[in-house]
C-alpha cells in the first residue's frame, strides 16, 4: 500500500520518530547496508543514528512503483555529515562536515496499511568517497 510509504517519507524528512514508527507493524524488519534491524526498538535506533549523523538529511523521491503489498522507491538522500556515522568496516566515522548526495532505493513490504519489512540500498562507495574516505581505508 503506497499511502503508508508516502506517510513514511513525510515523517522521515520531518525527523519525526513517532510518526515514522507509526508506519511500521508491531515486529518490523529493516535490512540496510551493515545488516538487519529487527523489531521496533532496533528500527527506531537505526533512524535515530542516521539523523544524528546527518541532522539535515532529506530524501527526495524520484519514482515510486506499487504492486499490491510491495512498493519500490528510487530516491536521492542529501545532507551534511555532522555526527558519528558507523561504516561497514565496523568503524565509526566522526563528523566530516561534508555534504553528500547519494542515490538510493527502498523496497517496502506492507500488510494492513503498515510496513512489515523494508530493504534499503545505496552505493556505499559513492557515499564513502563523498565523505572523504580514502579507498585504502575501505579495503578497495
Amino acid at each position: 500500500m503506497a499511502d503508508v510509504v508516502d506517510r513514511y517519507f513525510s515523517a522521515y524528512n520531518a525527523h519525526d520518530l513517532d510518526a515514522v514508527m507509526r508506519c511500521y507493524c508491531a515486529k518490523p524488519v529493516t535490512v540496510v547496508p551493515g545488516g538487519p534491524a529487527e523489531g521496533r526498538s532496533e528500527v527506531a535506533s537505526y533512524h535515530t543514528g542516521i539523523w544524528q549523523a546527518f541532522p539535515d538529511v532529506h530524501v527526495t523521491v524520484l519514482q515510486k512503483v506499487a504492486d499490491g503489498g510491495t512498493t519500490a522507491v528510487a530516491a536521492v538522500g542529501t545532507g551534511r555529515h555532522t555526527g558519528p556515522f558507523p561504516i561497514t568496516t565496523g568503524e565509526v566515522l566522526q563528523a566530516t562536515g561534508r555534504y553528500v548526495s547519494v542515490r538510493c532505493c527502498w523496497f517496502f513490504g506492507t500488510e494492513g496499511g503498515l510496513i512489515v519489512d523494508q530493504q534499503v540500498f545505496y552505493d556505499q562507495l559513492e557515499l564513502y568517497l563523498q565523505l572523504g574516505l580514502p579507498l585504502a581505508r575501505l579495503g578497495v
Side-chain angles (χ1 to χ4, degrees):
M1 180 174 288
D3 290 347
V4 71
V5 172
D6 293 339
R7 287 194 325 270
Y8 168 84
F9 282 112
S10 179
Y12 185 89
N13 283 333
H15 299 202
D16 183 339
L17 186 59
D18 290 334
V20 165
M21 295 311 296
R22 283 194 299 272
C23 296
Y24 290 101
C25 70
K27 295 181 181 179
V29 175
T30 296
V31 179
V32 298
E38 298 182 18
R40 296 181 65 78
S41 177
E42 287 185 15
V43 170
S45 180
Y46 167 74
H47 290 302
T48 300
I50 293 296
W51 294 333
Q52 287 173 344
F54 301 91
D56 63 345
V57 68
H58 181 85
V59 174
T60 301
V61 174
L62 304 173
Q63 184 177 14
K64 180 175 68 172
V65 178
D67 183 17
T70 302
T71 301
V73 172
V76 174
T78 58
R80 188 164 307 280
H81 176 227
T82 60
F85 180 61
I87 60 176
T88 54
T89 63
E91 301 172 73
V92 175
L93 180 63
Q94 296 306 313
T96 63
R98 290 177 177 244
Y99 178 82
V100 299
S101 178
V102 178
R103 292 164 290 147
C104 40
C105 183
W106 273 263
F107 286 90
F108 296 92
T110 61
E111 288 179 14
L114 297 172
I115 298 167
V116 295
D117 62 78
Q118 170 184 7
Q119 296 182 57
V120 182
F121 300 92
Y122 59 86
D123 186 333
Q124 295 172 68
L125 184 58
E126 178 181 34
L127 173 63
Y128 293 169
L129 289 175
Q130 288 183 35
L131 291 172
L133 291 171
L135 291 178
R137 183 168 171 191
L138 301 172
V140 176

